[in-house]
Amino acid sequence: MTPMRTLRVVVADDESDVCLMLRMQLGAQPDLEVVGAAADGSEALELCRQLQPDAVVMDLLMPVMNGFQAIEAMQRELPGVAVVAYTGVAGEFVRHEMARMNVPLVLKSGDVTPLADALRRAAPA
């Protein structure tokens, strides 16, 4: 039997309670390890440069560098890091932009299952 691969994940959200919840809930998944957390897109980009995670959970509305800008920079600089957008706001513009960037979009909720599943699908094999 092949051992389960552990995906290394960075969480980026400017709400500290959301970061804490995601660290706890994603970290409780047997195949996910949260290796870092960032409060804005710029921090997320720098953490990903340093840690080379498999994937990043990216909030879209953050200060300094928003998630849209951070995703574009990550796709240019770190194409091996999968990105999953995680937001409470997902109107037509957001859905269009995520589709254009080929980034899975998950709406914020108390259930981490859709986010964990999206990370597993998005991360490189």
Side-chain angles (χ1 to χ4, degrees):
M1 183 172 189
T2 306
M4 188 181 333
R5 176 172 175 246
T6 300
L7 297 177
R8 300 173 67 250
V9 179
V10 165
V11 173
D13 198 300
D14 61 319
E15 296 180 50
S16 59
D17 56 337
V18 172
C19 269
L20 177 60
M21 178 205 62
L22 290 175
R23 287 182 80 114
M24 291 172 35
Q25 290 183 330
L26 292 174
Q29 302 288 313
D31 59 336
L32 300 177
E33 176 188 7
V34 178
V35 295
D40 63 59
S42 180
E43 282 183 27
L45 187 56
E46 186 56 37
L47 265 180
C48 289
R49 287 177 185 134
Q50 292 172 11
L51 301 174
Q52 297 291 308
D54 299 300
V56 60
V57 175
M58 187 72 71
D59 184 22
L60 297 177
L61 302 177
M62 295 183 288
V64 183
M65 176 187 274
N66 66 44
F68 298 97
Q69 296 163 320
I71 290 168
E72 287 181 337
M74 289 196 62
Q75 288 180 331
R76 266 191 325 272
E77 294 180 38
L78 302 163
V81 177
V83 179
V84 174
Y86 189 64
T87 188
V89 180
E92 186 177 329
F93 172 79
V94 171
R95 292 178 190 280
H96 177 268
E97 283 300 288
M98 293 305 100
R100 181 184 66 79
M101 290 189 248
N102 198 29
V103 170
L105 176 65
V106 177
L107 291 177
K108 288 183 178 180
S109 74
D111 181 7
V112 75
T113 304
L115 179 58
D117 289 345
L119 286 166
R120 291 179 187 110
R121 284 190 304 272

